[in-house]
Amino acid sequence: MGARTGQQYLDKLNAMTPELYVDGEKVTSKVAEHAAFRDNALTYAKLFDLQHDPAHRDVLTYESPTTGERVGTSFLVPRSEEDLKRRRAAFSVWAEYSNGFLGRTGDYMNSSLTALSTAKKFFSQADPVFGERIEKYYEMARENDLLATHTLIPPQVNRSVSGSQQGGGNLSAKVVEEREDGIVIRGARMLATIAPIADELLVFPSTVLRGTPEDAPYSYAFAVPNDAPGLKYFCRAGLGHGRSTFDEPLASRFEEMDAVVVFDDVFVPNERVFLLGHPELCNAWYSETGAGALMTHQVVTRTLAKTEFYLGLASEIAAAIGIGGFQHIQQDLSELISYVEIEKAVLRAAEADGKLSEDGVFLPKWEVLNAARNWYPTKVSPRLTEIIRKFSASGLMALPGEADFEADGRPDIDTYLQSATLPAKDRARLFKLAFDASVSSFAGRESLYEYFFFGDPVRMAGAQVNAYPREALQERVRELLSRD
């Protein structure tokens, strides 16, 4: 098949029979037409269509090494710095289309599969068959242009104990049966973003296993179709209100549904089991395979597009209400400009300083990307929304809806709600966007999502400190202290 069109994606989604629960309703068919999922599915369909747009085709796709069909560039195994740049160019097209508000576009998990498909040395520590299986799965996903989501962590029940101890060991998803032809999974996992509109669910290690015998049933990696028997998704309530793109410019386009996954004795055939047991390898799943590096390369590309969007939005607001000349406003704009340029520099440095792995994959420099993934969630992302709120102030609350511009009060609205540069309706449209980007339910979910994107920021910081080579720097300090 190769790269799919949007219609092909929607047709397959509608043909699937998942078990979804949302707003008290059970949904098992025609997902792409359901009100809770339709808008996001249509947005993802547009991403698929971009692969066939003559303006983007050669960036978003390349010729498959096995079939010659055009397939997604996010499946390209990087062998050089130029390949990393090529992958980033493809990431940028999708990221700029959504302005970074779609956090689970296909190129994210595709990047993971691309790295894992080549990590022969890693899988050979357990059994080479695992590496062979995931390579075949990667090729299947590439040739069929599948959209995958993933789930990582146990349910948030009692965080004072490990996942294997919650509910007597019966809450977190675990292997309850090993058969000759596969395994059976029972329990729950969080938090599968875009699950209702995906083709596949990747269930990868949580990376927080302790390596005790009790952890063995929770040590696995596998993939299942989104409508596998026994697989259930419990979705959160929607964040939009079903209003127009004028009133909800972001939520109406880019809201990605999140869901808790329940495995009710889900059978996973052997060919879809990529690791079983070996908690020490589960904990090294991302670091030793290169998956973490390729995934973070995609993420930083996306967050750059998002930061650029907020710089553009802040600049538009400043121009609209005549505050661009104030020094405190310029200071904030300067801060946003710095964020943008630092993220660009991070990407270039990660690519330029990349190296070939033992498996022959050219991976971006991890230390650079790791710095970005620690910096953005806690330092940059919160400031983006804060600056928009500061610039907009009461303008975020003095907002007529689209329908008000068709009502009898239109003349007063046109008179009193215009801006220095915009008529009232255009001003309202701009500030509706600012509202959705900074204070709406959609914006709140985005802030939470970005803050915990890679996990607990405190734990991430600890991991960065423990892994970073600081001894040479300490030696410089000791050398200075020892001088006469």
Side-chain angles (χ1 to χ4, degrees), residues 77 79 112-128 130-132 134-135 274 281 284-291 357-361 363:
V77 177
R79 303 295 185 185
S112 175
L113 290 173
T114 298
L116 292 165
S117 73
T118 65
K120 298 296 188 294
K121 181 180 178 182
F122 173 82
F123 288 107
S124 67
Q125 297 175 79
D127 189 329
F130 292 126
E132 295 166 5
I134 202 162
E135 182 178 20
F274 310 132
L281 294 184
W285 180 264
Y286 296 97
S287 60
E288 293 188 14
T289 63
S357 71
E358 294 184 6
D359 294 301
V361 181
L363 296 173

Side-chain angles (χ1 to χ4, degrees), residues 20 33 53 86 95 145 149 208 239 251 280 336 361 394-395 405 414 423 439 441 470 484:
L20 310 171
E33 298 175 11
D53 185 331
R86 186 176 181 184
D145 202 13
T149 185
V208 292
L239 300 176
E280 74 287 353
L336 293 176
V361 181
S394 62
F405 287 95
D414 285 342
V439 297
S441 297
R470 293 175 289 145
D484 292 335

Side-chain angles (χ1 to χ4, degrees), residues 296 365-375 460 463-465 467:
T296 308
K365 186 174 178 64
W366 172 244
E367 289 80 3
V368 177
L369 293 175
N370 197 22
R373 78 176 193 141
N374 275 270
W375 169 71
M460 287 171 53
Q464 182 186 28
V465 169

Side-chain angles (χ1 to χ4, degrees), residues 43-97:
T43 295
Y44 269 73
K46 290 176 182 177
L47 298 181
F48 282 105
D49 280 336
L50 287 176
Q51 298 180 127
H52 300 272
D53 185 331
H56 302 295
R57 176 178 177 270
D58 291 339
V59 174
L60 288 174
T61 65
Y62 73 107
E63 289 188 4
S64 164
T66 57
T67 66
E69 297 269 7
R70 304 294 299 191
V71 294
T73 301
S74 56
F75 289 108
L76 175 69
V77 177
R79 303 295 185 185
S80 65
E81 180 183 346
E82 289 305 311
D83 284 343
L84 286 181
K85 291 179 179 178
R86 186 176 181 184
R87 287 173 56 84
R88 173 159 58 96
F91 300 156
S92 295
V93 172
W94 278 2
E96 290 174 11
Y97 179 83

Side-chain angles (χ1 to χ4, degrees), residues 232-247:
K232 305 174 184 178
Y233 291 113
F234 291 86
C235 305
R236 60 163 171 77
L239 300 176
H241 300 87
R243 305 183 73 181
S244 67
T245 55
F246 181 102
D247 288 317

Side-chain angles (χ1 to χ4, degrees), residues 268-287:
V268 185
N270 281 331
E271 63 268 20
R272 283 173 165 264
V273 178
F274 310 132
L275 196 61
L276 188 61
H278 305 279
E280 74 287 353
L281 294 184
C282 287
N283 287 340
W285 180 264
Y286 296 97
S287 60

Side-chain angles (χ1 to χ4, degrees), residues 1 14 24 32 38 47 100 141-142 154 178 216 220 223 250 269 292 340 388 405 424 426 437 473-474:
M1 174 185 289
N14 278 331
R38 179 182 60 242
L47 298 181
R142 181 189 68 198
E178 295 185 33
Y220 49 68
L250 298 178
V340 166
I388 296 303
F405 287 95
D426 290 341
L473 304 180
Q474 291 176 258

